[in-house]
Amino acid sequence: MPDTMNIRRISAACGAEVSGIDLTRAPSPGQVDVLQRALGENGILLFRDVGLTPEQHIAFSRNFGPLEAHVIGDFALPGHPEIFVVSNVKEDGKLKGAVYAGQYWHSDLSYMQKPSMGSLLLCHEMPEIGGDTMFANMFMAYETLSEPMKRFIGGLSAVHDYSHAYDTYFAHLKERPPLTAEARARTPPVEHPMVRAHPVTGRKALYVNPGFTKGIVGMPPEESRPILDLLFRHSVRPEFIYRHKWRVNDMIFWDNRSVTHYALADYDFSVRRHMHRTTIAGEATH
Ligand SMILES: O=C(O)CCC(=O)C(=O)O
């Protein structure tokens, strides 16, 4: 019997839950089209009770584009470079993945020339209390700016740099040591327009994030810093945010072109939180 896919909006800010599709089987081209459009329109897609093996997670993700490995190979699932492990779990004293990952607002890989299109995060273990992820709608963030501000930033590009997160958010965390010279060399600062039109819907989104955006092209820090701070604050107004409380076997597919996200560090770190992420390659922004 064919699947009857159902897509239901889950919050005013962003997000839709998809049901009636078995992710362990190859979706039809029609289903892939519907999901791509739904992602473009809703920013995040939530799938419940998916129970995918790493191979199935990778196979499903590949329907939306080629996958990319993380710049830090240490965070990959052994034997599966396409899976980035987000985890506080230690085995024989060694962390099984990236700890403290994403505990600041960001869009995945915005520090690359071709930032990631989307990410699919699958929950394997989660504390009973805490460990939610928040998603902010960057279409709404853009659309609620004043017309003069839209005109001003519409012609500007911003500088994104992976090492910014290490020099700021991770600076005091011994389990996230500074980036090696080699990782820095592989992630030089890049420039992206501060506003991006979404390829599926044409809707414009604000494209800056506090995790990786460190300046505005052509401006000294004393000018760019206050503008970026204003935009960062504005972009995470509560009405733009969907906050997800994870259940084991939830998978969220988010669109890095139109949402930013933030992993809450509000749980007991002795309780295991373990997730697998695939990352879909994206396009150049200009
Ligand atoms: O652990 C999470 O909830 C999100 C992690 C994250 O920010 C990422 O994988 O980009």
Side-chain angles (χ1 to χ4, degrees):
M1 231 180 46
D3 295 323
T4 315
M5 203 161 61
N6 185 37
I7 296 172
R8 181 181 64 89
R9 185 84 179 183
I10 50 174
S11 97
C14 56
E17 181 174 338
V18 183
S19 54
I21 177 170
D22 177 359
L23 304 191
T24 64
R25 299 202 324 236
S28 68
Q31 285 177 317
V32 173
D33 284 351
V34 171
L35 290 172
Q36 256 158 349
R37 173 143 285 275
L39 182 71
E41 287 169 354
N42 296 286
I44 75 169
L45 299 179
L46 164 66
F47 302 87
R48 298 276 198 194
D49 305 316
V50 295
L52 299 179
T53 63
E55 291 77 13
Q56 289 168 331
H57 184 181
I58 291 168
F60 179 70
S61 306
R62 282 209 170 112
N63 289 294
F64 303 94
L67 305 188
E68 49 198 5
H70 196 264
V71 285
I72 315 243
D74 295 358
F75 302 147
L77 184 68
H80 295 288
E82 306 88 345
I83 291 193
F84 172 66
V85 182
V86 174
S87 184
N88 65 0
V89 177
K90 279 188 179 165
E91 226 170 48
D92 303 326
K94 192 175 174 306
L95 280 160
K96 289 179 83 173
V99 69
Y100 308 118
Q103 295 179 352
Y104 43 82
W105 286 104
H106 68 286
S107 169
D108 292 334
L109 278 70
S110 77
Y111 50 81
M112 300 301 280
Q113 202 64 51
K114 292 183 177 178
S116 146
M117 177 278 248
S119 307
L120 291 97
L121 187 67
L122 171 55
C123 175
H124 286 277
E125 292 179 84
M126 186 54 57
E128 204 176 320
I129 304 285
D132 299 356
T133 307
M134 297 194 292
F135 298 88
N137 181 327
M138 293 296 110
F139 294 135
M140 292 170 100
Y142 174 73
E143 287 160 3
T144 50
L145 290 170
S146 67
E147 290 306 319
M149 183 57 98
K150 283 183 192 160
R151 276 197 297 279
F152 175 58
I153 64 169
L156 296 175
S157 290
V159 181
H160 297 240
D161 190 344
Y162 189 36
S163 60
H164 183 62
Y166 282 77
D167 297 340
T168 53
Y169 300 98
F170 296 146
H172 63 289
L173 297 171
K174 70 171 179 359
E175 278 159 325
R176 292 299 297 257
L179 275 185
T180 60
E182 193 249 336
R184 276 183 196 258
R186 271 188 290 129
T187 53
V190 297
E191 297 175 8
H192 298 300
M194 292 176 69
V195 179
R196 285 179 80 178
H198 196 283
V200 173
T201 60
R203 212 171 154 190
K204 286 184 178 173
L206 183 63
Y207 193 66
V208 290
N209 66 83
F212 306 130
T213 311
K214 71 171 186 191
I216 297 179
V217 177
M219 283 187 189
E222 60 270 29
E223 290 182 17
S224 65
R225 201 66 255 163
I227 299 167
L228 287 174
D229 285 343
L230 176 156
L231 293 172
F232 295 157
R233 238 186 355 264
H234 169 79
S235 70
V236 294
R237 272 170 43 181
E239 57 272 38
F240 306 158
I241 291 172
Y242 167 68
R243 175 169 173 160
H244 187 67
K245 164 138 193 66
W246 293 95
R247 294 185 207 156
V248 170
N249 280 328
D250 279 355
M251 184 165 76
I252 288 191
F253 184 1
W254 65 76
D255 189 333
N256 285 305
R257 302 162 297 188
S258 64
V259 295
T260 54
H261 60 284
Y262 181 114
L264 278 111
D266 59 350
Y267 52 96
D268 173 355
F269 263 55
S270 66
V271 181
R272 295 160 71 105
R273 185 179 188 278
H274 189 75
M275 324 274 271
H276 284 179
R277 188 186 93 190
T278 52
T279 312
I280 298 173
E283 302 294 320
T285 56
H286 44 199

